[in-house]
PDB file of all heavy atoms in Angstrom:
ATOM      1  N   THR A   1    -107.642 -46.568   7.789  1.00  0.00           N
ATOM      2  CA  THR A   1    -108.910 -47.305   7.764  1.00  0.00           C
ATOM      3  C   THR A   1    -109.812 -46.798   6.652  1.00  0.00           C
ATOM      4  O   THR A   1    -110.414 -47.600   5.933  1.00  0.00           O
ATOM      5  CB  THR A   1    -109.630 -47.193   9.136  1.00  0.00           C
ATOM      6  OG1 THR A   1    -108.748 -47.674  10.158  1.00  0.00           O
ATOM      7  CG2 THR A   1    -110.921 -47.988   9.152  1.00  0.00           C
ATOM      8  N   GLY A   2    -109.914 -45.503   6.493  1.00  0.00           N
ATOM      9  CA  GLY A   2    -110.722 -44.935   5.422  1.00  0.00           C
ATOM     10  C   GLY A   2    -110.228 -45.348   4.057  1.00  0.00           C
ATOM     11  O   GLY A   2    -111.029 -45.724   3.186  1.00  0.00           O
ATOM     12  N   ILE A   3    -108.965 -45.283   3.825  1.00  0.00           N
ATOM     13  CA  ILE A   3    -108.401 -45.690   2.530  1.00  0.00           C
ATOM     14  C   ILE A   3    -108.662 -47.147   2.244  1.00  0.00           C
ATOM     15  O   ILE A   3    -109.017 -47.546   1.136  1.00  0.00           O
ATOM     16  CB  ILE A   3    -106.897 -45.334   2.458  1.00  0.00           C
ATOM     17  CG1 ILE A   3    -106.713 -43.837   2.417  1.00  0.00           C
ATOM     18  CG2 ILE A   3    -106.234 -46.013   1.271  1.00  0.00           C
ATOM     19  CD1 ILE A   3    -105.292 -43.353   2.640  1.00  0.00           C
ATOM     20  N   MET A   4    -108.500 -47.981   3.281  1.00  0.00           N
ATOM     21  CA  MET A   4    -108.752 -49.421   3.107  1.00  0.00           C
ATOM     22  C   MET A   4    -110.243 -49.682   2.805  1.00  0.00           C
ATOM     23  O   MET A   4    -110.551 -50.526   1.982  1.00  0.00           O
ATOM     24  CB  MET A   4    -108.331 -50.183   4.359  1.00  0.00           C
ATOM     25  CG  MET A   4    -106.840 -50.120   4.624  1.00  0.00           C
ATOM     26  SD  MET A   4    -105.836 -50.723   3.250  1.00  0.00           S
ATOM     27  CE  MET A   4    -106.075 -52.483   3.394  1.00  0.00           C
ATOM     28  N   MET A   5    -111.123 -48.935   3.453  1.00  0.00           N
ATOM     29  CA  MET A   5    -112.554 -49.098   3.180  1.00  0.00           C
ATOM     30  C   MET A   5    -112.881 -48.729   1.736  1.00  0.00           C
ATOM     31  O   MET A   5    -113.653 -49.422   1.063  1.00  0.00           O
ATOM     32  CB  MET A   5    -113.387 -48.202   4.102  1.00  0.00           C
ATOM     33  CG  MET A   5    -113.247 -48.542   5.568  1.00  0.00           C
ATOM     34  SD  MET A   5    -114.093 -50.040   6.032  1.00  0.00           S
ATOM     35  CE  MET A   5    -115.747 -49.498   6.015  1.00  0.00           C
ATOM     36  N   LEU A   6    -112.256 -47.680   1.233  1.00  0.00           N
ATOM     37  CA  LEU A   6    -112.481 -47.273  -0.150  1.00  0.00           C
ATOM     38  C   LEU A   6    -111.927 -48.303  -1.111  1.00  0.00           C
ATOM     39  O   LEU A   6    -112.602 -48.712  -2.068  1.00  0.00           O
ATOM     40  CB  LEU A   6    -111.810 -45.906  -0.421  1.00  0.00           C
ATOM     41  CG  LEU A   6    -112.437 -44.706   0.292  1.00  0.00           C
ATOM     42  CD1 LEU A   6    -111.517 -43.498   0.149  1.00  0.00           C
ATOM     43  CD2 LEU A   6    -113.813 -44.393  -0.241  1.00  0.00           C
ATOM     44  N   ALA A   7    -110.714 -48.759  -0.861  1.00  0.00           N
ATOM     45  CA  ALA A   7    -110.040 -49.650  -1.788  1.00  0.00           C
ATOM     46  C   ALA A   7    -110.586 -51.085  -1.771  1.00  0.00           C
ATOM     47  O   ALA A   7    -110.778 -51.697  -2.828  1.00  0.00           O
ATOM     48  CB  ALA A   7    -108.546 -49.680  -1.476  1.00  0.00           C
ATOM     49  N   LEU A   8    -110.842 -51.622  -0.590  1.00  0.00           N
ATOM     50  CA  LEU A   8    -111.197 -53.012  -0.479  1.00  0.00           C
ATOM     51  C   LEU A   8    -112.688 -53.323  -0.488  1.00  0.00           C
ATOM     52  O   LEU A   8    -113.092 -54.439  -0.781  1.00  0.00           O
ATOM     53  CB  LEU A   8    -110.569 -53.633   0.791  1.00  0.00           C
ATOM     54  CG  LEU A   8    -109.066 -53.607   0.865  1.00  0.00           C
ATOM     55  CD1 LEU A   8    -108.585 -54.096   2.213  1.00  0.00           C
ATOM     56  CD2 LEU A   8    -108.458 -54.457  -0.246  1.00  0.00           C
ATOM     57  N   ASN A   9    -113.496 -52.356  -0.135  1.00  0.00           N
ATOM     58  CA  ASN A   9    -114.927 -52.622   0.009  1.00  0.00           C
ATOM     59  C   ASN A   9    -115.803 -51.879  -0.975  1.00  0.00           C
ATOM     60  O   ASN A   9    -117.013 -52.004  -0.951  1.00  0.00           O
ATOM     61  CB  ASN A   9    -115.363 -52.319   1.442  1.00  0.00           C
ATOM     62  CG  ASN A   9    -114.653 -53.222   2.450  1.00  0.00           C
ATOM     63  OD1 ASN A   9    -114.714 -54.432   2.321  1.00  0.00           O
ATOM     64  ND2 ASN A   9    -113.947 -52.626   3.369  1.00  0.00           N
ATOM     65  N   GLY A  10    -115.197 -51.079  -1.854  1.00  0.00           N
ATOM     66  CA  GLY A  10    -115.968 -50.439  -2.919  1.00  0.00           C
ATOM     67  C   GLY A  10    -116.816 -49.245  -2.489  1.00  0.00           C
ATOM     68  O   GLY A  10    -117.748 -48.888  -3.218  1.00  0.00           O
ATOM     69  N   LEU A  11    -116.496 -48.634  -1.369  1.00  0.00           N
ATOM     70  CA  LEU A  11    -117.253 -47.473  -0.947  1.00  0.00           C
ATOM     71  C   LEU A  11    -116.845 -46.281  -1.794  1.00  0.00           C
ATOM     72  O   LEU A  11    -115.703 -46.171  -2.227  1.00  0.00           O
ATOM     73  CB  LEU A  11    -116.986 -47.140   0.521  1.00  0.00           C
ATOM     74  CG  LEU A  11    -117.921 -47.735   1.533  1.00  0.00           C
ATOM     75  CD1 LEU A  11    -117.699 -49.209   1.638  1.00  0.00           C
ATOM     76  CD2 LEU A  11    -117.751 -47.058   2.844  1.00  0.00           C
ATOM     77  N   ARG A  12    -117.760 -45.367  -1.963  1.00  0.00           N
ATOM     78  CA  ARG A  12    -117.460 -44.080  -2.577  1.00  0.00           C
ATOM     79  C   ARG A  12    -117.070 -43.112  -1.477  1.00  0.00           C
ATOM     80  O   ARG A  12    -117.464 -43.260  -0.324  1.00  0.00           O
ATOM     81  CB  ARG A  12    -118.677 -43.571  -3.320  1.00  0.00           C
ATOM     82  CG  ARG A  12    -119.103 -44.466  -4.456  1.00  0.00           C
ATOM     83  CD  ARG A  12    -120.385 -43.936  -5.108  1.00  0.00           C
ATOM     84  NE  ARG A  12    -120.838 -44.877  -6.132  1.00  0.00           N
ATOM     85  CZ  ARG A  12    -121.885 -45.688  -5.992  1.00  0.00           C
ATOM     86  NH1 ARG A  12    -122.619 -45.651  -4.902  1.00  0.00           N
ATOM     87  NH2 ARG A  12    -122.208 -46.506  -6.969  1.00  0.00           N
ATOM     88  N   LYS A  13    -116.319 -42.096  -1.808  1.00  0.00           N
ATOM     89  CA  LYS A  13    -115.796 -41.149  -0.820  1.00  0.00           C
ATOM     90  C   LYS A  13    -116.920 -40.533   0.003  1.00  0.00           C
ATOM     91  O   LYS A  13    -116.842 -40.495   1.228  1.00  0.00           O
ATOM     92  CB  LYS A  13    -114.971 -40.105  -1.569  1.00  0.00           C
ATOM     93  CG  LYS A  13    -114.682 -38.839  -0.849  1.00  0.00           C
ATOM     94  CD  LYS A  13    -113.876 -37.870  -1.719  1.00  0.00           C
ATOM     95  CE  LYS A  13    -114.626 -37.404  -2.889  1.00  0.00           C
ATOM     96  NZ  LYS A  13    -115.198 -36.076  -2.822  1.00  0.00           N
ATOM     97  N   ASP A  14    -117.971 -40.062  -0.634  1.00  0.00           N
ATOM     98  CA  ASP A  14    -119.074 -39.414   0.065  1.00  0.00           C
ATOM     99  C   ASP A  14    -119.842 -40.397   0.947  1.00  0.00           C
ATOM    100  O   ASP A  14    -120.413 -40.019   1.954  1.00  0.00           O
ATOM    101  CB  ASP A  14    -120.007 -38.716  -0.911  1.00  0.00           C
ATOM    102  CG  ASP A  14    -119.332 -37.543  -1.626  1.00  0.00           C
ATOM    103  OD1 ASP A  14    -118.312 -37.057  -1.117  1.00  0.00           O
ATOM    104  OD2 ASP A  14    -119.853 -37.111  -2.675  1.00  0.00           O
ATOM    105  N   GLU A  15    -119.877 -41.680   0.577  1.00  0.00           N
ATOM    106  CA  GLU A  15    -120.489 -42.688   1.417  1.00  0.00           C
ATOM    107  C   GLU A  15    -119.671 -42.943   2.668  1.00  0.00           C
ATOM    108  O   GLU A  15    -120.203 -43.094   3.737  1.00  0.00           O
ATOM    109  CB  GLU A  15    -120.664 -44.008   0.628  1.00  0.00           C
ATOM    110  CG  GLU A  15    -121.630 -43.896  -0.523  1.00  0.00           C
ATOM    111  CD  GLU A  15    -121.602 -45.085  -1.451  1.00  0.00           C
ATOM    112  OE1 GLU A  15    -120.645 -45.882  -1.437  1.00  0.00           O
ATOM    113  OE2 GLU A  15    -122.563 -45.217  -2.235  1.00  0.00           O
ATOM    114  N   LEU A  16    -118.366 -42.967   2.493  1.00  0.00           N
ATOM    115  CA  LEU A  16    -117.462 -43.138   3.638  1.00  0.00           C
ATOM    116  C   LEU A  16    -117.646 -41.995   4.622  1.00  0.00           C
ATOM    117  O   LEU A  16    -117.706 -42.215   5.842  1.00  0.00           O
ATOM    118  CB  LEU A  16    -116.011 -43.204   3.165  1.00  0.00           C
ATOM    119  CG  LEU A  16    -114.967 -43.339   4.248  1.00  0.00           C
ATOM    120  CD1 LEU A  16    -115.105 -44.668   4.989  1.00  0.00           C
ATOM    121  CD2 LEU A  16    -113.568 -43.202   3.683  1.00  0.00           C
ATOM    122  N   PHE A  17    -117.745 -40.780   4.138  1.00  0.00           N
ATOM    123  CA  PHE A  17    -117.910 -39.603   4.999  1.00  0.00           C
ATOM    124  C   PHE A  17    -119.209 -39.661   5.804  1.00  0.00           C
ATOM    125  O   PHE A  17    -119.273 -39.125   6.904  1.00  0.00           O
ATOM    126  CB  PHE A  17    -117.872 -38.320   4.172  1.00  0.00           C
ATOM    127  CG  PHE A  17    -116.547 -38.031   3.536  1.00  0.00           C
ATOM    128  CD1 PHE A  17    -116.484 -37.202   2.416  1.00  0.00           C
ATOM    129  CD2 PHE A  17    -115.370 -38.568   4.017  1.00  0.00           C
ATOM    130  CE1 PHE A  17    -115.272 -36.932   1.808  1.00  0.00           C
ATOM    131  CE2 PHE A  17    -114.133 -38.283   3.411  1.00  0.00           C
ATOM    132  CZ  PHE A  17    -114.118 -37.469   2.299  1.00  0.00           C
ATOM    133  N   ALA A  18    -120.226 -40.322   5.272  1.00  0.00           N
ATOM    134  CA  ALA A  18    -121.516 -40.405   5.958  1.00  0.00           C
ATOM    135  C   ALA A  18    -121.638 -41.584   6.916  1.00  0.00           C
ATOM    136  O   ALA A  18    -122.585 -41.668   7.683  1.00  0.00           O
ATOM    137  CB  ALA A  18    -122.657 -40.497   4.911  1.00  0.00           C
ATOM    138  N   LEU A  19    -120.658 -42.501   6.902  1.00  0.00           N
ATOM    139  CA  LEU A  19    -120.737 -43.682   7.754  1.00  0.00           C
ATOM    140  C   LEU A  19    -120.695 -43.341   9.237  1.00  0.00           C
ATOM    141  O   LEU A  19    -119.943 -42.450   9.659  1.00  0.00           O
ATOM    142  CB  LEU A  19    -119.564 -44.618   7.490  1.00  0.00           C
ATOM    143  CG  LEU A  19    -119.684 -45.606   6.356  1.00  0.00           C
ATOM    144  CD1 LEU A  19    -118.449 -46.509   6.344  1.00  0.00           C
ATOM    145  CD2 LEU A  19    -120.927 -46.455   6.456  1.00  0.00           C
ATOM    146  N   THR A  20    -121.484 -44.070  10.000  1.00  0.00           N
ATOM    147  CA  THR A  20    -121.406 -43.994  11.459  1.00  0.00           C
ATOM    148  C   THR A  20    -121.186 -45.430  11.959  1.00  0.00           C
ATOM    149  O   THR A  20    -121.360 -46.384  11.208  1.00  0.00           O
ATOM    150  CB  THR A  20    -122.664 -43.406  12.087  1.00  0.00           C
ATOM    151  OG1 THR A  20    -123.781 -44.247  11.785  1.00  0.00           O
ATOM    152  CG2 THR A  20    -122.935 -41.994  11.550  1.00  0.00           C
ATOM    153  N   ILE A  21    -120.939 -45.567  13.232  1.00  0.00           N
ATOM    154  CA  ILE A  21    -120.681 -46.879  13.797  1.00  0.00           C
ATOM    155  C   ILE A  21    -121.910 -47.789  13.654  1.00  0.00           C
ATOM    156  O   ILE A  21    -121.780 -49.005  13.515  1.00  0.00           O
ATOM    157  CB  ILE A  21    -120.194 -46.794  15.267  1.00  0.00           C
ATOM    158  CG1 ILE A  21    -119.620 -48.096  15.754  1.00  0.00           C
ATOM    159  CG2 ILE A  21    -121.285 -46.295  16.172  1.00  0.00           C
ATOM    160  CD1 ILE A  21    -118.347 -48.522  15.089  1.00  0.00           C
ATOM    161  N   LYS A  22    -123.097 -47.210  13.673  1.00  0.00           N
ATOM    162  CA  LYS A  22    -124.318 -48.038  13.540  1.00  0.00           C
ATOM    163  C   LYS A  22    -124.464 -48.630  12.146  1.00  0.00           C
ATOM    164  O   LYS A  22    -125.229 -49.592  11.951  1.00  0.00           O
ATOM    165  CB  LYS A  22    -125.573 -47.228  13.921  1.00  0.00           C
ATOM    166  CG  LYS A  22    -125.891 -46.100  12.987  1.00  0.00           C
ATOM    167  CD  LYS A  22    -127.152 -45.389  13.429  1.00  0.00           C
ATOM    168  CE  LYS A  22    -127.416 -44.142  12.639  1.00  0.00           C
ATOM    169  NZ  LYS A  22    -127.464 -44.268  11.225  1.00  0.00           N
ATOM    170  N   ASP A  23    -123.734 -48.136  11.178  1.00  0.00           N
ATOM    171  CA  ASP A  23    -123.792 -48.635   9.804  1.00  0.00           C
ATOM    172  C   ASP A  23    -122.889 -49.867   9.591  1.00  0.00           C
ATOM    173  O   ASP A  23    -122.962 -50.506   8.531  1.00  0.00           O
ATOM    174  CB  ASP A  23    -123.387 -47.563   8.801  1.00  0.00           C
ATOM    175  CG  ASP A  23    -124.264 -46.322   8.932  1.00  0.00           C
ATOM    176  OD1 ASP A  23    -125.461 -46.455   9.193  1.00  0.00           O
ATOM    177  OD2 ASP A  23    -123.733 -45.201   8.732  1.00  0.00           O
ATOM    178  N   VAL A  24    -122.034 -50.145  10.555  1.00  0.00           N
ATOM    179  CA  VAL A  24    -121.079 -51.241  10.416  1.00  0.00           C
ATOM    180  C   VAL A  24    -121.473 -52.387  11.352  1.00  0.00           C
ATOM    181  O   VAL A  24    -121.642 -52.211  12.561  1.00  0.00           O
ATOM    182  CB  VAL A  24    -119.654 -50.755  10.776  1.00  0.00           C
ATOM    183  CG1 VAL A  24    -118.654 -51.881  10.634  1.00  0.00           C
ATOM    184  CG2 VAL A  24    -119.255 -49.578   9.911  1.00  0.00           C
ATOM    185  N   ASP A  25    -121.640 -53.564  10.754  1.00  0.00           N
ATOM    186  CA  ASP A  25    -122.008 -54.782  11.520  1.00  0.00           C
ATOM    187  C   ASP A  25    -120.834 -55.736  11.431  1.00  0.00           C
ATOM    188  O   ASP A  25    -120.681 -56.470  10.449  1.00  0.00           O
ATOM    189  CB  ASP A  25    -123.273 -55.389  10.913  1.00  0.00           C
ATOM    190  CG  ASP A  25    -123.756 -56.621  11.647  1.00  0.00           C
ATOM    191  OD1 ASP A  25    -123.030 -57.138  12.548  1.00  0.00           O
ATOM    192  OD2 ASP A  25    -124.860 -57.078  11.350  1.00  0.00           O
ATOM    193  N   LEU A  26    -119.990 -55.723  12.446  1.00  0.00           N
ATOM    194  CA  LEU A  26    -118.807 -56.571  12.428  1.00  0.00           C
ATOM    195  C   LEU A  26    -119.146 -58.040  12.600  1.00  0.00           C
ATOM    196  O   LEU A  26    -118.430 -58.896  12.065  1.00  0.00           O
ATOM    197  CB  LEU A  26    -117.841 -56.119  13.545  1.00  0.00           C
ATOM    198  CG  LEU A  26    -117.204 -54.750  13.365  1.00  0.00           C
ATOM    199  CD1 LEU A  26    -116.328 -54.407  14.553  1.00  0.00           C
ATOM    200  CD2 LEU A  26    -116.404 -54.691  12.067  1.00  0.00           C
ATOM    201  N   GLU A  27    -120.222 -58.345  13.297  1.00  0.00           N
ATOM    202  CA  GLU A  27    -120.609 -59.752  13.494  1.00  0.00           C
ATOM    203  C   GLU A  27    -120.980 -60.406  12.159  1.00  0.00           C
ATOM    204  O   GLU A  27    -120.579 -61.531  11.878  1.00  0.00           O
ATOM    205  CB  GLU A  27    -121.794 -59.819  14.451  1.00  0.00           C
ATOM    206  CG  GLU A  27    -122.187 -61.235  14.802  1.00  0.00           C
ATOM    207  CD  GLU A  27    -123.260 -61.268  15.883  1.00  0.00           C
ATOM    208  OE1 GLU A  27    -123.133 -60.514  16.866  1.00  0.00           O
ATOM    209  OE2 GLU A  27    -124.219 -62.041  15.701  1.00  0.00           O
ATOM    210  N   ASN A  28    -121.708 -59.694  11.307  1.00  0.00           N
ATOM    211  CA  ASN A  28    -122.092 -60.210   9.999  1.00  0.00           C
ATOM    212  C   ASN A  28    -121.178 -59.757   8.884  1.00  0.00           C
ATOM    213  O   ASN A  28    -121.425 -60.058   7.700  1.00  0.00           O
ATOM    214  CB  ASN A  28    -123.534 -59.831   9.686  1.00  0.00           C
ATOM    215  CG  ASN A  28    -124.511 -60.485  10.642  1.00  0.00           C
ATOM    216  OD1 ASN A  28    -124.442 -61.691  10.857  1.00  0.00           O
ATOM    217  ND2 ASN A  28    -125.390 -59.700  11.226  1.00  0.00           N
ATOM    218  N   LYS A  29    -120.151 -58.969   9.241  1.00  0.00           N
ATOM    219  CA  LYS A  29    -119.176 -58.431   8.280  1.00  0.00           C
ATOM    220  C   LYS A  29    -119.863 -57.699   7.131  1.00  0.00           C
ATOM    221  O   LYS A  29    -119.652 -57.987   5.951  1.00  0.00           O
ATOM    222  CB  LYS A  29    -118.272 -59.554   7.735  1.00  0.00           C
ATOM    223  CG  LYS A  29    -117.373 -60.159   8.774  1.00  0.00           C
ATOM    224  CD  LYS A  29    -116.420 -61.156   8.119  1.00  0.00           C
ATOM    225  CE  LYS A  29    -115.487 -61.738   9.106  1.00  0.00           C
ATOM    226  NZ  LYS A  29    -114.549 -62.690   8.475  1.00  0.00           N
ATOM    227  N   THR A  30    -120.696 -56.707   7.479  1.00  0.00           N
ATOM    228  CA  THR A  30    -121.376 -55.910   6.473  1.00  0.00           C
ATOM    229  C   THR A  30    -121.364 -54.430   6.828  1.00  0.00           C
ATOM    230  O   THR A  30    -121.216 -54.062   7.997  1.00  0.00           O
ATOM    231  CB  THR A  30    -122.867 -56.353   6.295  1.00  0.00           C
ATOM    232  OG1 THR A  30    -123.537 -56.181   7.537  1.00  0.00           O
ATOM    233  CG2 THR A  30    -122.968 -57.756   5.794  1.00  0.00           C
ATOM    234  N   ILE A  31    -121.487 -53.624   5.791  1.00  0.00           N
ATOM    235  CA  ILE A  31    -121.638 -52.176   5.929  1.00  0.00           C
ATOM    236  C   ILE A  31    -122.931 -51.814   5.215  1.00  0.00           C
ATOM    237  O   ILE A  31    -123.148 -52.206   4.072  1.00  0.00           O
ATOM    238  CB  ILE A  31    -120.464 -51.417   5.282  1.00  0.00           C
ATOM    239  CG1 ILE A  31    -119.160 -51.829   5.927  1.00  0.00           C
ATOM    240  CG2 ILE A  31    -120.676 -49.902   5.396  1.00  0.00           C
ATOM    241  CD1 ILE A  31    -117.937 -51.335   5.154  1.00  0.00           C
ATOM    242  N   ILE A  32    -123.789 -51.044   5.877  1.00  0.00           N
ATOM    243  CA  ILE A  32    -125.045 -50.608   5.271  1.00  0.00           C
ATOM    244  C   ILE A  32    -124.857 -49.190   4.778  1.00  0.00           C
ATOM    245  O   ILE A  32    -124.495 -48.304   5.537  1.00  0.00           O
ATOM    246  CB  ILE A  32    -126.193 -50.692   6.289  1.00  0.00           C
ATOM    247  CG1 ILE A  32    -126.358 -52.108   6.822  1.00  0.00           C
ATOM    248  CG2 ILE A  32    -127.488 -50.167   5.657  1.00  0.00           C
ATOM    249  CD1 ILE A  32    -127.263 -52.219   8.011  1.00  0.00           C
ATOM    250  N   ILE A  33    -125.108 -49.005   3.485  1.00  0.00           N
ATOM    251  CA  ILE A  33    -124.991 -47.682   2.874  1.00  0.00           C
ATOM    252  C   ILE A  33    -126.389 -47.172   2.589  1.00  0.00           C
ATOM    253  O   ILE A  33    -127.163 -47.801   1.841  1.00  0.00           O
ATOM    254  CB  ILE A  33    -124.206 -47.749   1.545  1.00  0.00           C
ATOM    255  CG1 ILE A  33    -122.809 -48.317   1.773  1.00  0.00           C
ATOM    256  CG2 ILE A  33    -124.164 -46.384   0.866  1.00  0.00           C
ATOM    257  CD1 ILE A  33    -121.941 -47.482   2.656  1.00  0.00           C
ATOM    258  N   TYR A  34    -126.766 -46.063   3.192  1.00  0.00           N
ATOM    259  CA  TYR A  34    -128.058 -45.450   2.899  1.00  0.00           C
ATOM    260  C   TYR A  34    -128.000 -43.931   2.890  1.00  0.00           C
ATOM    261  O   TYR A  34    -128.980 -43.249   2.648  1.00  0.00           O
ATOM    262  CB  TYR A  34    -129.150 -45.958   3.879  1.00  0.00           C
ATOM    263  CG  TYR A  34    -128.919 -45.558   5.309  1.00  0.00           C
ATOM    264  CD1 TYR A  34    -129.529 -44.403   5.814  1.00  0.00           C
ATOM    265  CD2 TYR A  34    -128.111 -46.305   6.132  1.00  0.00           C
ATOM    266  CE1 TYR A  34    -129.333 -44.014   7.117  1.00  0.00           C
ATOM    267  CE2 TYR A  34    -127.916 -45.931   7.437  1.00  0.00           C
ATOM    268  CZ  TYR A  34    -128.527 -44.794   7.921  1.00  0.00           C
ATOM    269  OH  TYR A  34    -128.320 -44.414   9.230  1.00  0.00           O
ATOM    270  N   GLU A  35    -126.798 -43.396   3.173  1.00  0.00           N
ATOM    271  CA  GLU A  35    -126.633 -41.936   3.150  1.00  0.00           C
ATOM    272  C   GLU A  35    -125.343 -41.565   2.438  1.00  0.00           C
ATOM    273  O   GLU A  35    -124.455 -42.388   2.248  1.00  0.00           O
ATOM    274  CB  GLU A  35    -126.552 -41.405   4.582  1.00  0.00           C
ATOM    275  CG  GLU A  35    -127.836 -41.510   5.347  1.00  0.00           C
ATOM    276  CD  GLU A  35    -127.694 -40.928   6.753  1.00  0.00           C
ATOM    277  OE1 GLU A  35    -126.672 -41.149   7.400  1.00  0.00           O
ATOM    278  OE2 GLU A  35    -128.662 -40.260   7.176  1.00  0.00           O
ATOM    279  N   THR A  36    -125.273 -40.297   2.109  1.00  0.00           N
ATOM    280  CA  THR A  36    -124.072 -39.743   1.507  1.00  0.00           C
ATOM    281  C   THR A  36    -123.805 -38.406   2.192  1.00  0.00           C
ATOM    282  O   THR A  36    -124.716 -37.834   2.805  1.00  0.00           O
ATOM    283  CB  THR A  36    -124.223 -39.558  -0.025  1.00  0.00           C
ATOM    284  OG1 THR A  36    -122.987 -39.160  -0.594  1.00  0.00           O
ATOM    285  CG2 THR A  36    -125.305 -38.567  -0.381  1.00  0.00           C
ATOM    286  N   ARG A  37    -122.587 -37.929   2.132  1.00  0.00           N
ATOM    287  CA  ARG A  37    -122.254 -36.641   2.768  1.00  0.00           C
ATOM    288  C   ARG A  37    -121.318 -35.875   1.837  1.00  0.00           C
ATOM    289  O   ARG A  37    -120.312 -36.376   1.371  1.00  0.00           O
ATOM    290  CB  ARG A  37    -121.583 -36.874   4.098  1.00  0.00           C
ATOM    291  CG  ARG A  37    -121.264 -35.586   4.830  1.00  0.00           C
ATOM    292  CD  ARG A  37    -120.571 -35.893   6.128  1.00  0.00           C
ATOM    293  NE  ARG A  37    -120.239 -34.631   6.766  1.00  0.00           N
ATOM    294  CZ  ARG A  37    -120.779 -34.214   7.869  1.00  0.00           C
ATOM    295  NH1 ARG A  37    -121.672 -34.929   8.513  1.00  0.00           N
ATOM    296  NH2 ARG A  37    -120.416 -33.045   8.405  1.00  0.00           N
ATOM    297  N   ASP A  38    -121.712 -34.630   1.595  1.00  0.00           N
ATOM    298  CA  ASP A  38    -120.885 -33.755   0.767  1.00  0.00           C
ATOM    299  C   ASP A  38    -121.042 -32.339   1.289  1.00  0.00           C
ATOM    300  O   ASP A  38    -121.469 -32.146   2.426  1.00  0.00           O
ATOM    301  CB  ASP A  38    -121.268 -33.884  -0.716  1.00  0.00           C
ATOM    302  CG  ASP A  38    -122.738 -33.573  -1.000  1.00  0.00           C
ATOM    303  OD1 ASP A  38    -123.408 -32.985  -0.138  1.00  0.00           O
ATOM    304  OD2 ASP A  38    -123.186 -33.958  -2.072  1.00  0.00           O
ATOM    305  N   TYR A  39    -120.739 -31.332   0.488  1.00  0.00           N
ATOM    306  CA  TYR A  39    -120.812 -29.952   0.939  1.00  0.00           C
ATOM    307  C   TYR A  39    -122.231 -29.515   1.256  1.00  0.00           C
ATOM    308  O   TYR A  39    -122.446 -28.485   1.877  1.00  0.00           O
ATOM    309  CB  TYR A  39    -120.147 -29.005  -0.066  1.00  0.00           C
ATOM    310  CG  TYR A  39    -120.731 -29.030  -1.444  1.00  0.00           C
ATOM    311  CD1 TYR A  39    -121.771 -28.197  -1.805  1.00  0.00           C
ATOM    312  CD2 TYR A  39    -120.245 -29.909  -2.416  1.00  0.00           C
ATOM    313  CE1 TYR A  39    -122.318 -28.228  -3.074  1.00  0.00           C
ATOM    314  CE2 TYR A  39    -120.758 -29.945  -3.689  1.00  0.00           C
ATOM    315  CZ  TYR A  39    -121.798 -29.121  -4.004  1.00  0.00           C
ATOM    316  OH  TYR A  39    -122.343 -29.151  -5.266  1.00  0.00           O
ATOM    317  N   HIS A  40    -123.250 -30.310   0.881  1.00  0.00           N
ATOM    318  CA  HIS A  40    -124.626 -30.038   1.244  1.00  0.00           C
ATOM    319  C   HIS A  40    -124.994 -30.659   2.593  1.00  0.00           C
ATOM    320  O   HIS A  40    -126.102 -30.440   3.089  1.00  0.00           O
ATOM    321  CB  HIS A  40    -125.593 -30.555   0.181  1.00  0.00           C
ATOM    322  CG  HIS A  40    -125.479 -29.877  -1.141  1.00  0.00           C
ATOM    323  ND1 HIS A  40    -125.750 -28.542  -1.321  1.00  0.00           N
ATOM    324  CD2 HIS A  40    -125.097 -30.355  -2.342  1.00  0.00           C
ATOM    325  CE1 HIS A  40    -125.554 -28.233  -2.586  1.00  0.00           C
ATOM    326  NE2 HIS A  40    -125.134 -29.302  -3.237  1.00  0.00           N
ATOM    327  N   GLY A  41    -124.117 -31.462   3.150  1.00  0.00           N
ATOM    328  CA  GLY A  41    -124.388 -32.150   4.408  1.00  0.00           C
ATOM    329  C   GLY A  41    -124.717 -33.611   4.162  1.00  0.00           C
ATOM    330  O   GLY A  41    -124.544 -34.139   3.082  1.00  0.00           O
ATOM    331  N   THR A  42    -125.195 -34.278   5.219  1.00  0.00           N
ATOM    332  CA  THR A  42    -125.571 -35.683   5.121  1.00  0.00           C
ATOM    333  C   THR A  42    -127.008 -35.762   4.627  1.00  0.00           C
ATOM    334  O   THR A  42    -127.877 -35.055   5.116  1.00  0.00           O
ATOM    335  CB  THR A  42    -125.444 -36.370   6.485  1.00  0.00           C
ATOM    336  OG1 THR A  42    -124.084 -36.222   6.938  1.00  0.00           O
ATOM    337  CG2 THR A  42    -125.788 -37.831   6.402  1.00  0.00           C
TER     338      THR A  42
END
């Protein structure tokens, strides 16, 4: 799922790591990106 999100939806690796279920809207088929996660945290 993570690889598909990166390849098909244009997410960056650190954006994928910060995603939570509340960021994904399956009804409207959207992902909201507002955070990033790396060795400094989210």
